[in-house]
């Protein structure tokens, strides 16, 4: 105890803090933070946290319930179960942060939430390869183009694709998981095209046997997501696009538990036979369901310009 | 999938949600919640959470960092390590919630934060009994009265007292803990008095080997608390009082890491010999440090009236 810690120089003595002065005093002590962005984030966090408690007259029992709930969310989390992401999803925060951080100009493919089931261990497959080995799924063939906002094909884009099996579960939701399935990494060819074989996606409930399910139940909300396939596009110079395609007419199309559906991402499946020559070229049955979509990526430069514009407008 | 889930009746279709309309739509779906208080709490929570993200233009990497941090806080938590309480403490939320939920009229003993080290397994001891068996601590004798706001002694109050050992650690911070120490439960006698033997408290750092310590370091704040002894008073008909007494002149008196110090709770220790007859009555050395304090509890009725007044004023 050789060091003497009075109130740090220039700061008020932290004493006799009340409902009315606690916020300013927490700001004062946090103002010692050396990183301006972190300092700003905590300033706004403290304002909202304290205002929330003041406005609602939050009581000790509610505070205890909230902290106990957060412990539970942390405890159930693992490398393959991301309960805090799920919590962020059902509170609409994930969709919001994606919208803020990845603004899209008209014509570009809209983004949507990442969700808690992306992994980094998916197998890299060849064009036309299989991403799902579930024998009970209805076969699907996907033919997608990837272009820039000028309409030019983008080759060599790394594309992560992931979907559930026919029962509505991702591979990581099975206890005995040994290898990745229902997911793969593809690379777009010189014409900016990707092809893969998967299964027709099905609606499914988000994991609702844990704290997030309990919350949805308290809020009297259902846990279902409409049928969809996730996509993530990565290529140097382009803004990482995280999105998903949804099937039109799904029972949960208008009530996605995690707010991810956008009209521009809803598709109608066709049959491979609807496109002349496609079945023959890829040696697949013409009955196979066909997913076609034209993705449009924007450059990092375009994203930066849009972000700056939004921040300038917000600052006004 | 026999159930049909369109957007719940009367609610807008949840689709094409953006920075500008996500908040209203999350409110809409959450409005199905049947408990009015819970519904209100989530409405305000969503507003603050979303406003925070919008104002700060929170980016995906910051969002990931925040969620990963919350996982870490949950993971390190145990029955005896309450890292989320500690996080609430260093953000000033604990002090604020206590101030809101346990308002005090002039003359009543002020409350302060519970902290993460209260347990339910302390031994019940007789008047004058020992709460700390640390042979290295400086002996302390405490003589405290407990009265109501009319100055009448309150008998049969259950009083939890807890403090660290002479090294600044609570019993629960030791891995091999088998029995409670540095803590006890007393009962006030017919004159509303409690007496106990403890040790002179020392300043100590809050546990800073985990996520909260990391945060304090990022914020460039020290983790120390000034020397104090915790008290919790429980008696039917009275508002539970959680408070602590601090030693005047402590190096951290004006910079408590968790914002708990109040001028009215700072005391000067005397010697037992300063009070004629005390050493003889309790068979202790007159050199022993003496803690004297007069606690004033308020009734549940008084607390309710103060809460209602605060809520009425806030609603104006």
């Amino acid at each position: 105890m050789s060091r003497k810690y009075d109130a740090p120089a220039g700061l008020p003595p932290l004493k006799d803090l009340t409902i009315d002065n606690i916020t300013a005093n927490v700001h004062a002590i946090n103002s010692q933070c050396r990183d301006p962005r972190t300092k700003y984030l905590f300033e706004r966090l403290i304002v909202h946290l304290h205002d929330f408690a003041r406005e609602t007259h939050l009581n000790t029992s509610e505070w205890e319930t909230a902290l106990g709930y957060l412990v539970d969310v942390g405890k159930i989390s693992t490398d393959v179960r991301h309960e805090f992401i799920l919590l962020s999803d059902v509170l609409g925060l994930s969709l919001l942060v994606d919208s803020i951080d990845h603004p899209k100009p008209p014509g570009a493919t809209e983004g949507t939430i990442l969700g808690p089931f992306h992994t980094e261990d998916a197998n890299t497959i060849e064009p036309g390869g299989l991403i799902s080995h579930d024998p009970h799924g209805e076969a699907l063939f996907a033919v997608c183009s990837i272009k820039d906002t000028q309409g030019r094909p983008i080759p060599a884009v790394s594309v992560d694709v992931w979907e559930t099996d026919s029962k509505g579960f991702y591979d990581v939701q099975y206890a005995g998981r040994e290898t990745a399935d229902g997911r793969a990494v593809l690379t777009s060819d010189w014409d900016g095209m990707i092809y893969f074989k998967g299964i027709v996606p099905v609606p499914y409930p988000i994991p609702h046997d844990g704290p997030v399910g309990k919350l949805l139940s308290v809020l009297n909300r259902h846990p279902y997501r409409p049928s969809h396939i996730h996509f993530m596009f990565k290529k140097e110079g382009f803004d990482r696009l995280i999105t998903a395609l949804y099937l039109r007419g799904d029972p949960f199309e208008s009530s996605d538990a995690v707010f991810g559906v956008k009209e521009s991402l809803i598709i109608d499946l066709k049959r491979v036979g609807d496109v002349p020559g496609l079945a023959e070229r890829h040696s697949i049955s013409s009955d196979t369901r066909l997913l076609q979509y034209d993705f449009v990526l924007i450059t990092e430069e375009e994203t930066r310009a849009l972000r700056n514009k939004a921040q300038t407008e917000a600052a006004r």
Side-chain angles (χ1 to χ4, degrees), chain A:
Chain A
M1 298 316 312
S2 58
R3 293 157 78 191
K4 169 79 178 165
Y5 287 97
D6 271 331
L11 297 180
L14 295 173
K15 213 186 285 183
D16 286 322
L17 301 181
T18 65
I19 297 175
D20 299 319
N21 70 14
I22 178 78
T23 307
N25 278 278
V26 178
H27 288 336
I29 194 95
N30 285 351
S31 70
Q32 301 173 100
C33 177
R34 294 200 184 94
D35 177 65
R37 174 70 180 166
T38 305
K39 188 159 93 176
Y40 172 67
L41 287 175
F42 274 88
E43 198 177 298
R44 298 312 304 163
L45 178 70
I46 295 295
V47 163
H48 285 293
L49 191 64
H50 289 194
D51 280 354
F52 169 72
R54 272 187 291 254
E55 283 170 16
T56 60
H57 295 273
L58 196 67
N59 68 42
T60 308
S61 146
E62 290 161 345
W63 170 82
E64 281 170 352
T65 301
L67 297 187
Y69 182 80
L70 293 173
V71 171
D72 291 345
V73 175
K75 288 282 178 210
I76 207 172
S77 297
T78 66
D79 283 351
V80 292
R81 176 159 186 161
H82 300 287
E83 195 83 359
F84 267 112
I85 294 186
L86 207 57
L87 181 59
S88 166
D89 291 351
V90 302
L91 297 179
L93 181 64
S94 307
L95 188 279
L96 177 57
V97 170
D98 181 70
S99 306
I100 291 167
D101 200 34
H102 297 279
K104 300 287 187 297
T109 300
E110 291 191 271
T112 188
I113 62 163
L114 171 67
F117 294 116
H118 180 254
T119 73
E120 297 292 345
D121 69 349
N123 296 313
T124 299
I125 60 169
E126 292 302 306
L130 195 62
I131 72 161
S132 172
H133 297 82
D134 180 356
H136 304 295
E138 186 183 356
L140 171 103
F141 189 63
V143 177
C144 303
S145 70
I146 308 171
K147 294 178 179 165
D148 67 16
T149 52
Q150 312 298 309
R152 292 170 298 207
I154 316 177
V157 178
S158 173
V159 186
D160 288 33
V161 186
W162 66 108
E163 63 170 342
T164 70
D165 64 14
S166 60
K167 294 189 187 66
F169 293 109
Y170 290 93
D171 56 349
V172 291
Q173 294 181 274
Y174 288 97
R177 178 184 194 257
E178 285 178 2
T179 53
D181 196 17
R183 62 182 77 238
V185 182
L186 295 138
T187 305
S188 64
D189 65 18
W190 286 106
D191 298 318
M193 300 295 294
I194 57 167
Y195 308 87
F196 65 88
K197 296 191 187 81
I199 61 172
V200 175
V202 295
Y204 65 85
I206 59 171
H208 57 116
D209 57 338
V212 169
K214 201 172 143 197
L215 173 61
L216 289 180
S217 166
V218 163
L219 293 172
N220 197 22
R221 286 168 50 178
H222 75 67
Y224 286 90
R225 297 215 64 199
S227 315
H228 62 279
I229 300 184
H230 291 276
F231 293 84
M232 182 192 289
F233 300 85
K234 287 179 284 191
K235 161 127 187 172
E236 217 189 305
F238 288 86
D239 189 44
R240 185 181 72 167
L241 172 64
I242 295 169
T243 192
L245 297 177
Y246 299 86
L247 301 192
R248 192 178 314 283
D250 188 280
F252 306 104
E253 184 184 305
S254 298
S255 66
D256 182 3
V258 297
F259 311 105
V261 182
K262 298 186 179 182
E263 194 59 46
S264 70
L265 302 173
I266 299 178
I267 54 169
D268 295 288
L269 294 183
K270 299 185 205 164
R271 301 270 172 193
V272 165
D274 295 340
V275 178
L278 192 62
E280 295 72 22
R281 264 206 310 285
H282 294 277
S283 310
I284 41 175
S285 155
S286 58
D287 269 359
T288 308
R289 304 306 303 262
L290 174 66
L291 180 162
Q292 280 185 307
Y293 201 80
D294 298 317
F295 292 98
V296 178
L297 308 192
I298 64 174
T299 62
E300 283 183 342
E301 209 172 316
E302 288 172 297
T303 301
R304 262 196 301 275
L306 285 166
R307 275 195 204 120
N308 290 344
K309 191 170 163 241
Q311 290 187 11
T312 310
E313 279 167 9
R316 261 178 214 153

